[in-house]
Structure formats: C-alpha cells, structure tokens
C-alpha cells in the first residue's frame, strides 16, 4: 500500500460546512534580551510626540531667556 506520510500535509478545518485554513499558530516567544529591546523601542516610538513637545518648550524657554540678555 502506498502512503504519503513523509509529505507535509496542509491542515484544513471545516467551519459552517466550508473548508477553511486554521488560524496560524502563535509566534515563538522572544528571548529576554530581544523582549527588552522590543519594549524599549515601543516606548521610544510611542512617546516621540511628548519628547518633541518637551524639546520645543525647553527651546522656547532658552530663547526667551536669551532675548532679554544684552
């Protein structure tokens, strides 16, 4: 008898009478260092508007102080 066990087979799920591909498996967990780098990048990207406003405010304060100096 001929078998095809060595060939990878596509997983198929039947939903409401129609064949559908199953949802993808969750990604492999990141290492601890990679997770910390990812979180740091997320914070840096997420807080860029606040950083820009703070730099603008400090710049305006410095310019205001220098405007009145002789």
């Amino acid at each position: 008898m001929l078998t095809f066990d060595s060939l990878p087979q596509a997983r198929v799920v039947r939903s409401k009478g129609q064949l559908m591909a199953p949802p993808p498996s969750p990604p492999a967990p990141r290492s601890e260092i990679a997770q910390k780098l990812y979180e740091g990048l997320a914070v840096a990207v997420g807080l860029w508007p606040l950083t820009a406003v703070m730099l603008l405010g400090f710049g305006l304060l410095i310019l205001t102080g220098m405007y009145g100096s002789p």
Side-chain angles (χ1 to χ4, degrees):
M1 176 174 217
L2 184 61
T3 62
F4 295 100
D5 293 338
S6 62
L7 295 175
Q9 301 294 318
R11 296 183 310 157
V12 180
V13 175
R14 189 175 292 274
S15 174
K16 298 180 186 174
Q18 295 194 2
L19 294 176
M20 301 177 61
S25 60
R30 295 183 179 102
S31 68
E32 187 174 340
I33 294 173
Q35 183 65 28
K36 294 295 182 188
L37 288 173
Y38 178 80
E39 290 171 1
L41 182 64
V43 168
V45 170
L47 291 179
W48 75 265
L50 177 62
T51 305
V53 168
M54 293 294 290
L55 289 175
L56 178 65
F58 286 133
L60 290 174
L61 283 172
I62 291 170
L63 286 176
T64 303
M66 294 178 75
Y67 181 72
S69 64

